[in-house]
Amino acid sequence: MESGLHRGCLEMWSEENRILVVQLKNISVHAANWREIVQQSYVSFSKLLEKIQGLPPTIPSIPLELTILYNTVVLSLSLSDVNQSVNSLLYEGLVRGLEAYDAHFDRLDITKLWAMIFQNINDPNFIQAVDQLIYLQCVLWLVCNQLEKIDNVLHLLRDRGFVKWRKDRPQTALQYFRWALQADIQCLSALYHAAMVYRRLEMVDAELEALNHLSVALESWDQYKVGNDVDSQVLIRPEQLVQIPATCHLLTSVNWVHVKHSLAGRFLQMGRVEAAAEHYLDLLASFLEESQREIFVVADHTIPRIPEIYLEAAVALLHCQRFNDVITVSEEIASKMTCLISEKLTFEITVNEWLSSDCSKSTEAPEIDTSHQTCHLNSFSESQTLWAKKKETLNYILWAATAFLYQGQAFALLKNNKESITNFTRCVNLLLKVQVVGPPDLGVPDDQIETLKKNMIEVKILQKLKSLAFVGRGIQLAERGQNREALQNFQLSLQAYHDNFEAVYHLVEILWKLERKQEAVTYWLKQAEAEKRHKVNASEDFPIFLISCLKEISTSEEEAVSKKLDGYRSSFATRT
């Protein structure tokens, strides 16, 4: 009978709490009598708390009691009424919580009470309710300048989580992170960094789950105001009491675009291209929304430039065989970039004078310098401005050329031979606008300058793009029966980037078709093994958007070529 009466009281008190929260939410913070409304609500919540605390604490009742306690303290803080009674309310709430679970505790030190809770009680409902209170506790200590207590409790929080992680219990750790997220949005960064730890440990499922939780939480940032989150009808959110700027979430170390891009890129790297494509398309759609534009106001090296995200989306769509979508996405970049590109772009390599005597002594990567000799006569700021402009123009060229490359590949896979060749040619022509030259009159040998060029990431990307465009155009020309033109393109592909095994394979095949079999054998023996060794390592230096979507050479195809050439060598040796 008593338990039934208790359940009835809990339902009644839970509904009373919900009604009070909803009533407060429906009142504008700009209302003239706002303070009087908050004061009245505070009194109502205080009376409700007295009712529930009139009975002994029980496991079913304590989460509701702590929720009402949370609301009461929030209202007290909003009225700037920070006094000993508020601290006593929190203290008594923790004591009653421990009593409900029959825990033995020291009533003298509240920090010890927090430690007891974290160490001895694992009930998710109770921990979730307690987590809502700990940040209010820290606010109260901050007002009283009790910084040491704040530091101790935050250490308890950290030890409680990133402990579960050390015990190889990532799902439990993630549950704690979820609760912390519900209590305080500033915990988003902790959840993101947990995902990065999981990535380093190759705990893929845990990493993706963490990123998914972040994505959902950040996506629903604006939904707090319309009551779409779970606790909107039982908890008073701070944003209901104060005016929070729309760009407030920039103060956190992660944002929705950041997390969504991490998810998309991770799925792409894992080969889960359908999921990657959907995340990328969500990203592209968000760029059209006002709510996401402020993200790009501040510099953040962890988030790629928008054109790069478009190109990564094109890669994912290519792998999903959504070729028309690839053409559309790539055209968006190509059309916007090409109008910003000048006729010619020249870069100069900066080489220290001591390097000219012994290039092998260099321990630092060379740099691209856009300053001409005439610029050295100008002010430093002018030369820096010129450098920045040219570097940005180089970005435009790389982005536009990559867009043309992917359009060429998409048209090739759509069997539109003519358009494919046209776009591969556009890619090459754009890249030929860039020239990288050595420093004048420093006595650096040409071969050393070439070595320096090969070590620059900018030059590597340029040459890789050229190589992919030439090999793509060569394949299309071969399909049209233009074998000699195809051969020339495969040769140019290898000149641009030696570590392109696809170019080696197709070059040998076209030489065979042209009855230049001995030349094909010689080339295969000389190049194939070296190209295979470099194939995997070469891709590691490039950004994610520069992934070849051409048909990879399978092991069986490679073995077939080797067998064919070995047979020819054997017969040739027998004849001689």
Side-chain angles (χ1 to χ4, degrees):
M1 182 74 174
E2 253 181 56
S3 62
L5 178 62
H6 198 244
R7 281 199 301 273
C9 288
L10 282 180
E11 291 173 0
M12 180 178 64
W13 293 331
S14 179
E15 178 64 14
E16 187 174 348
N17 175 71
R18 188 191 68 80
I19 291 172
L20 288 172
V21 171
V22 171
Q23 287 175 347
L24 190 62
K25 283 186 58 180
N26 292 333
I27 304 299
S28 170
V29 295
H30 301 289
N33 60 338
W34 171 245
R35 184 173 178 82
E36 289 77 6
I37 294 172
V38 172
Q39 179 66 46
Q40 183 179 352
S41 297
Y42 170 71
V43 172
S44 298
F45 276 109
S46 297
K47 290 181 178 178
L48 179 57
L49 184 62
E50 289 176 4
K51 291 179 187 177
I52 197 169
Q53 289 184 341
L55 294 176
T58 63
I59 290 178
S61 69
I62 201 65
L64 175 62
E65 178 178 335
L66 296 184
T67 296
I68 296 170
L69 173 60
Y70 171 92
N71 289 335
T72 305
V73 174
V74 167
L75 288 171
S76 177
L77 290 173
S78 71
L79 293 168
S80 301
D81 185 14
V82 180
N83 51 48
Q84 188 57 39
S85 64
V86 176
N87 286 284
S88 298
L89 282 175
L90 282 174
Y91 185 91
E92 188 61 29
L94 297 183
V95 167
R96 286 174 59 83
L98 288 168
E99 288 176 347
Y101 289 86
D102 297 323
H104 300 285
F105 53 89
D106 182 356
R107 296 180 63 97
L108 298 179
D109 188 347
I110 193 168
T111 56
K112 290 184 178 180
L113 292 183
W114 284 112
M116 286 286 296
I117 287 171
F118 293 153
Q119 292 168 7
N120 296 295
I121 303 179
N122 294 313
D123 182 357
N125 293 325
F126 177 73
I127 293 296
Q128 186 172 5
V130 165
D131 279 352
Q132 296 162 4
L133 293 174
I134 194 165
Y135 299 101
L136 291 179
Q137 176 73 83
C138 289
V139 169
L140 293 173
W141 283 335
L142 184 62
V143 171
C144 300
N145 200 31
Q146 295 177 312
L147 303 183
E148 185 177 348
K149 289 184 178 179
I150 296 175
D151 186 61
N152 290 336
V153 169
L154 291 179
H155 271 93
L156 287 173
L157 281 172
R158 287 194 291 268
D159 291 342
R160 179 182 65 176
F162 291 127
V163 167
K164 299 301 180 184
W165 171 67
R166 287 197 297 271
K167 290 182 178 179
D168 196 25
R169 295 173 62 186
Q171 299 304 324
T172 305
L174 284 175
Q175 185 65 48
Y176 280 121
F177 287 135
R178 290 191 206 108
W179 296 335
L181 177 62
Q182 292 170 3
D184 183 4
I185 200 164
Q186 297 295 331
C187 289
L188 287 173
S189 59
L191 185 51
Y192 175 77
H193 291 303
M196 296 303 99
V197 171
Y198 292 143
R199 176 175 297 184
R200 289 196 296 272
L201 294 174
E202 298 183 355
M203 300 170 68
V204 178
D205 291 338
E207 174 198 343
L208 293 178
E209 184 176 357
L211 290 174
N212 270 312
H213 286 311
L214 270 173
S215 178
V216 171
L218 289 163
E219 194 170 12
S220 62
W221 173 269
D222 293 330
Q223 294 179 359
Y224 289 133
K225 297 174 184 175
V226 295
N228 287 341
D229 65 301
V230 175
D231 296 325
S232 62
Q233 295 188 349
V234 297
L235 292 177
I236 301 170
R237 292 290 182 183
E239 57 266 30
Q240 296 169 219
L241 304 175
V242 296
Q243 299 179 54
I244 300 178
T247 57
C248 163
H249 60 289
L250 286 176
L251 299 176
T252 62
S253 61
V254 292
N255 54 58
W256 183 82
V257 168
H258 189 160
V259 173
K260 198 73 169 176
H261 178 262
S262 292
L263 275 170
R266 192 62 168 143
F267 280 123
L268 182 58
Q269 291 170 332
M270 294 167 58
R272 295 170 61 176
V273 292
E274 294 289 346
E278 292 307 315
H279 284 298
Y280 277 118
L281 290 176
D282 287 344
L283 272 175
L284 302 191
S286 75
F287 297 153
L288 305 176
E289 299 175 6
E290 184 69 32
S291 61
Q292 296 298 335
R293 290 178 186 172
E294 70 270 12
I295 290 173
F296 299 94
V297 174
V298 293
D300 187 346
H301 70 280
T302 58
I303 303 177
R305 304 280 293 276
I306 289 181
E308 294 183 12
I309 296 177
Y310 268 82
L311 294 173
E312 291 174 19
V315 173
L317 292 166
L318 264 173
H319 285 295
C320 292
Q321 300 183 18
R322 298 171 62 171
F323 305 129
N324 288 312
D325 289 337
V326 173
I327 294 167
T328 301
V329 170
S330 298
E331 184 60 30
E332 184 75 12
I333 298 302
S335 60
K336 289 183 178 179
M337 294 297 111
T338 49
C339 63
L340 301 173
I341 297 171
S342 57
E343 286 300 315
K344 189 176 180 182
L345 188 64
T346 302
F347 287 94
E348 182 180 298
I349 300 175
T350 296
V351 183
N352 295 331
E353 291 186 7
W354 61 268
L355 186 61
S356 62
S357 60
D358 187 358
C359 184
S360 65
K361 293 180 181 178
S362 175
T363 58
E364 297 182 357
E367 299 177 349
I368 283 184
D369 184 10
T370 59
S371 304
H372 296 287
Q373 285 181 318
T374 54
C375 290
H376 293 303
L377 302 177
N378 299 328
S379 68
F380 175 79
S381 61
E382 288 176 341
S383 63
Q384 288 293 96
T385 300
L386 178 61
W387 185 93
K389 286 181 179 178
K390 286 198 170 185
K391 197 67 177 287
E392 187 68 346
T393 302
L394 177 61
N395 286 332
Y396 299 156
I397 291 175
L398 293 177
W399 294 333
T402 307
F404 284 134
L405 176 73
Y406 291 149
Q407 283 187 321
Q409 292 181 354
F411 278 118
L413 293 166
L414 286 170
K415 306 301 181 183
N416 190 333
N417 191 269
K418 181 180 178 181
E419 283 297 325
S420 178
I421 292 174
T422 297
N423 280 280
F424 285 134
T425 303
R426 287 173 177 167
C427 176
V428 171
N429 291 341
L430 262 183
L431 297 171
L432 290 176
K433 290 179 179 287
V434 182
Q435 289 187 349
V436 180
V437 299
D441 303 325
L442 283 184
V444 182
D446 290 341
D447 60 339
Q448 292 185 0
I449 292 298
E450 289 304 315
T451 299
L452 291 177
K453 288 183 182 180
K454 291 176 183 177
N455 290 331
M456 293 184 214
I457 186 60
E458 298 94 342
V459 176
K460 281 186 176 181
I461 294 174
L462 279 166
Q463 298 305 94
K464 178 70 171 181
L465 280 170
K466 280 184 190 176
S467 184
L468 291 173
F470 278 127
V471 77
R473 190 168 68 178
I475 292 170
Q476 296 303 299
L477 289 168
E479 288 185 359
R480 297 174 65 170
Q482 297 175 250
N483 291 334
R484 295 190 182 278
E485 291 85 350
L487 174 62
Q488 183 182 27
N489 276 268
F490 296 140
Q491 290 171 332
L492 290 170
S493 176
L494 286 173
Q495 287 177 18
Y497 195 77
H498 296 297
D499 296 333
N500 190 338
F501 181 67
E502 287 177 321
V504 175
Y505 175 87
H506 290 294
L507 176 60
V508 168
E509 284 285 73
I510 210 72
L511 285 170
W512 187 269
K513 286 183 181 180
L514 292 170
E515 296 298 326
R516 296 162 62 173
K517 296 183 178 181
Q518 186 58 47
E519 193 175 347
V521 170
T522 302
Y523 208 92
W524 184 259
L525 293 175
K526 180 181 178 181
Q527 298 286 341
E529 291 302 321
E531 304 307 331
K532 283 190 293 183
R533 286 196 301 269
H534 289 294
K535 186 178 180 183
V536 175
N537 293 334
S539 64
E540 295 177 355
D541 295 328
F542 298 106
I544 190 174
F545 68 81
L546 191 55
I547 301 175
S548 174
C549 294
L550 298 172
K551 179 180 178 294
E552 292 187 1
I553 308 304
S554 66
T555 302
S556 60
E557 288 174 316
E558 186 181 331
E559 290 174 349
V561 170
S562 294
K563 184 177 180 180
K564 177 171 60 178
L565 294 176
D566 286 342
Y568 174 80
R569 289 172 60 203
S570 298
S571 63
F572 183 80
T574 301
R575 291 197 302 270
T576 57

